Amino acid sequence: EIVLTQSPGILSLSPGERATLSCRASQSVSSSYLAWYQQAPGQAPRLLIYGASSRATGIPDRFSGSGSGTDFTLTISRLEPEDFAVYYCQQYSSSPPALTFGGGTKVEIK
Amino acid sequence: QVQLVESGGGVVQPGRSLRLSCAASGLTFSSHGMHWVRQAPGKGLEWVAVISYDGSNQYYGDSVKGRFTISRDNSKNTLYLQMNSLRTEDTAVYSCAIAGSGHSYVYYWGQGTLVTVSS
C-alpha cells in the first residue's frame, strides 16, 4: 500500500505570499494518478488538480501542480483570503482500484 | 447544477447496521462511477468504496471490506452504502462523490451525512 506524507502539517503565511505544499509517496506514483483537493472549514472538499498538473474546471491559475515519481508539489502563487484551508493530495492504485489520501496540510493566516 | 444529497446517517450502536443513500441530480448519473469517502471528526479523508457506472464492479478500502456494500439504482439516480457490523471507529461524515476519469480521483463531493457509532 502506498502511503502519502504531506508537509508541512501547518503552513502559516500572509495573503499575497506564495505557498508551496509537498506530497511525498512511499513508492512511485504515476503522474496520471495524483490529485489535490482543497477543504475550507465546514465545507466539502473541492478538486483542484488531477493528473499531477491539470487544473480542474473553474480553478484559478494561481494554483499549479507539479512533480513526478515520489515527489509532488502544489503551489499557490499568491494567497487570496479564500485560499486559507486544508489541502489533501491523493493517489490512485489500479490493482485493485483504491484511493489513498495524504494527511493534509493546513494553510493558515499568519 | 450537480447536486449530491446524502441521507440515512444517525446514531447507531456497535454491531448494528445502517444504510446510507445519495440522491444525485444535474448529471447523467448512469454514466459516472461513484465513490464513498469518509472523514472522522477533526481527521483527514479516508476512501471507503467505489462502484462502476453500471454497478458491475465494486471495490473497497481494507478497513470496511466484508462489512460494507456499495450499490446503485440508476433508475432512481441513487447510490447506497450498506454498513454492517459497525464499529466505533466507523464514526465519521460519509460523503458520496462523482468519480473522475478511470475512477482515479474525485470530481465532485456531496456535503455528507454524519454516522456516529456509540453505545
Side-chain angles (χ1 to χ4, degrees), chain B residues 46-69:
Chain B
E46 182 185 10
W47 176 74
V48 173
V50 64
I51 188 168
S52 59
Y53 70 99
D54 60 356
S56 61
N57 294 290
Q58 310 91 32
Y59 301 96
Y60 300 91
D62 288 342
S63 62
V64 307
K65 202 173 297 183
R67 301 188 299 124
F68 290 12
T69 301

Side-chain angles (χ1 to χ4, degrees), chain B residues 62-81:
Chain B
D62 288 342
S63 62
V64 307
K65 202 173 297 183
R67 301 188 299 124
F68 290 12
T69 301
I70 188 172
S71 63
R72 64 191 299 160
D73 185 338
N74 285 345
S75 69
K76 296 182 178 179
N77 289 349
T78 302
L79 177 73
Y80 302 101
L81 185 68

Side-chain angles (χ1 to χ4, degrees), chain B residues 1-3 25-27 108:
Chain B
Q1 182 176 351
V2 174
Q3 275 201 310
S25 59
L27 76 161
Y108 185 83

Side-chain angles (χ1 to χ4, degrees), chain A residues 10-71:
Chain A
I10 300 175
L11 192 55
S12 298
L13 295 168
S14 301
E17 288 194 295
R18 181 185 188 90
T20 303
L21 287 66
S22 172
C23 176
R24 180 161 291 177
S26 58
Q27 303 172 43
S28 184
V29 172
S30 167
S31 295
S32 299
Y33 295 154
L34 195 289
W36 290 92
Y37 304 88
Q38 176 195 64
Q39 186 174 32
Q43 299 296 315
R46 175 174 72 147
L47 175 67
L48 297 176
I49 302 287
Y50 63 95
S53 60
S54 297
R55 270 188 301 277
T57 303
I59 301 303
D61 60 8
R62 64 179 181 273
F63 291 92
S64 63
S66 62
S68 63
T70 60
D71 290 297

Side-chain angles (χ1 to χ4, degrees), chain A residues 33 35 37 39 42-47 50 57 88 90 92 96-99 101, chain B residues 35 37 39 43-47 50 59 62 102-107 109-111:
Chain A
Y33 295 154
Y37 304 88
Q39 186 174 32
Q43 299 296 315
R46 175 174 72 147
L47 175 67
Y50 63 95
T57 303
Y88 295 94
Q90 169 254 304
Y92 170 77
L99 305 185
F101 292 92
Chain B
H35 293 280
V37 181
Q39 188 168 30
K43 302 298 184 182
L45 301 169
E46 182 185 10
W47 176 74
V50 64
Y59 301 96
D62 288 342
H103 304 155
S104 62
Y105 57 91
V106 173
Y107 180 78
W109 304 68
Q111 287 294 327

